[in-house]
Amino acid sequence: DVSKPVSAMIRWSRNRQYYFQLHDTGYNIGLETSIRIKPLSSANLEIGYQNQRFLDNDMDLMPVNRVGQSDVKIWTFRGRYLITKDIFTRVFYQITNNAENFVQNNSFFEYEVRDRMSANFLLGWRYSPGSTLYLAYTEEWNERKSQSYISSNRILYIKISYLWSI
């Protein structure tokens, strides 16, 4: 029950998967867990972990260079805080191993995998019912061959939504 001060979730799945790159089928096996802490009625923190494995029909990991991610681990950290009834913030941080990049290698395309970190901060204001102003900043960092991370994407955006009643 996410309305409680502490809540947890665990989910396991096993699904059939079609790999368009190989024109073949296999399996997608996943585990997802999270813990949510709600220290105040206006705030919560959540830590999550997800592991996805992409397997062939013999239950072996699929080849990374042809299908992209084959054994993915994702850690997420989320925070939400309601400053007033109309102003709120959200923060999100994610660490992903084996994030895929599509690269050209000689005469064909293949996947290259690297670790990736990303962070997002959002400030929102509900200035009238159904209408919101958002200010957000996102940044991503990709691992390089030298085992260091370099910023690969920065976005600052503003979004305004307005509800018209007819």
Side-chain angles (χ1 to χ4, degrees):
D1 183 358
V2 294
S3 67
K4 302 289 183 187
V6 177
S7 61
M9 182 273 302
I10 186 165
R11 178 183 308 148
W12 183 83
S13 62
R14 179 179 175 206
N15 303 300
R16 292 292 286 168
Q17 173 91 18
Y18 182 77
Y19 299 101
F20 290 96
Q21 306 91 329
L22 300 176
H23 305 291
D24 199 3
T25 59
Y27 294 93
N28 175 348
I29 296 176
L31 172 68
E32 185 178 354
T33 62
S34 68
I35 296 174
R36 180 180 288 191
I37 300 167
K38 195 171 182 181
L40 305 167
S41 63
S42 60
N44 69 50
L45 300 169
E46 182 178 327
I47 298 172
Y49 172 77
Q50 182 179 8
N51 180 244
Q52 292 287 122
R53 298 181 62 136
F54 301 96
L55 309 169
D56 63 16
N57 287 314
D58 296 325
M59 303 302 280
D60 294 323
L61 284 174
M62 294 299 284
V64 173
N65 64 335
R66 300 304 296 153
V67 299
Q69 303 162 314
S70 64
D71 185 11
V72 183
K73 295 169 182 68
I74 302 171
W75 284 95
T76 56
F77 305 90
R78 300 173 197 263
R80 295 181 182 104
Y81 183 63
L82 187 61
I83 299 168
T84 69
K85 69 180 186 74
D86 296 321
I87 300 173
F88 58 93
T89 62
R90 293 184 203 151
V91 293
F92 176 81
Y93 180 73
Q94 179 173 294
I95 303 168
T96 306
N97 81 315
N98 294 330
E100 61 186 40
N101 294 313
F102 199 57
V103 296
Q104 184 172 1
N105 188 3
N106 297 326
S107 61
F108 62 93
F109 288 94
E110 67 179 21
Y111 289 96
E112 173 183 81
V113 293
R114 308 249 181 199
D115 291 349
R116 177 179 295 148
M117 294 185 294
S118 59
N120 176 275
F121 174 78
L122 180 130
L123 177 64
W125 172 39
R126 289 184 198 96
Y127 57 91
S128 70
S131 302
T132 310
L133 170 69
Y134 298 99
L135 173 65
Y137 177 75
T138 299
E139 187 161 358
E140 290 182 351
W141 301 270
N142 285 320
E143 178 189 35
R144 297 292 181 219
K145 291 180 181 178
S146 63
Q147 301 296 322
S148 64
Y149 287 86
I150 188 165
S151 180
S152 62
N153 194 13
R154 289 186 185 129
I155 302 170
L156 176 65
Y157 64 92
I158 297 173
K159 177 182 175 183
I160 299 172
S161 69
Y162 181 75
L163 179 64
W164 290 353
S165 37
I166 298 176

